Amino acid sequence: MNSKTWLLLMGAWLIAMLATVGALFIGEVMMMTPCTLCWYQRIFMFPMAIVLTIACFSEDRRGAVYAWVLAAGGLAVAGYHTLLVAGWIPKSWLPCQAGISCADQKLEILSGVQIPWLSLAAFGLILILLTYFLRKTSR
């Protein structure tokens, strides 16, 4: 694996680690309770950070394949959550009927940026980087 392709994998790892640390900080330090969809996004992001760590250090292409699947699943959940928060999906389609509302929460950081938008961006960037990585290493 050459250094340019390794940087793609390392970039995906860095985003996954920042998202994981950010989610833990928001939940544990800022004491913001995550909604159901936030938990689902964490289920995709947390193991991806571990899988990409192993893939970066072992230079194993399979780790990127596994992480790609996790990123695609996380992107789907984050996309749904983003559309729900934006009001483009009816609130009757909420997966969470008890506890914190997935649509009415106002989890904003960085001067008004919604957390689901950040999650969508993180999963999207990871997916793009891993797609380029997998295309370059398949040859």
Side-chain angles (χ1 to χ4, degrees):
M1 178 180 325
N2 67 36
S3 63
K4 286 185 181 181
T5 56
W6 187 78
L7 285 175
L8 291 170
L9 188 61
M10 186 60 103
W13 170 79
L14 184 62
I15 294 168
M17 289 302 291
L18 286 172
T20 298
V21 169
L24 289 172
F25 180 81
I26 289 168
E28 301 301 321
V29 176
M30 295 176 68
M31 304 303 283
M32 291 180 160
T33 306
C35 68
T36 302
L37 287 174
C38 288
W39 275 114
Y40 292 159
Q41 290 166 69
R42 288 175 178 205
I43 289 168
F44 285 105
M45 186 62 76
F46 290 1
M48 186 168 35
I50 295 168
V51 168
L52 287 174
T53 300
I54 295 167
C56 283
F57 289 108
S58 66
E59 296 184 9
D60 188 1
R61 186 177 187 277
R62 291 178 298 175
V65 174
Y66 304 144
W68 192 95
V69 173
L70 289 168
L75 184 72
V77 175
Y80 179 78
H81 197 183
T82 300
L83 293 174
L84 194 60
V85 168
W88 293 356
I89 292 179
K91 291 183 181 182
S92 61
W93 293 6
L94 284 176
C96 45
Q97 299 303 323
I100 301 198
S101 171
C102 295
D104 293 331
Q105 67 182 10
K106 297 298 177 208
L107 295 178
E108 297 178 351
I109 59 173
L110 303 173
S111 299
V113 177
Q114 291 280 342
I115 292 174
W117 301 347
L118 291 174
S119 178
L120 183 70
F123 281 118
L125 286 172
I126 291 169
L127 200 58
I128 289 167
L129 289 170
L130 290 176
T131 299
Y132 282 126
F133 173 79
L134 292 170
R135 284 188 180 170
K136 289 189 180 281
T137 57
S138 67
R139 299 175 188 176

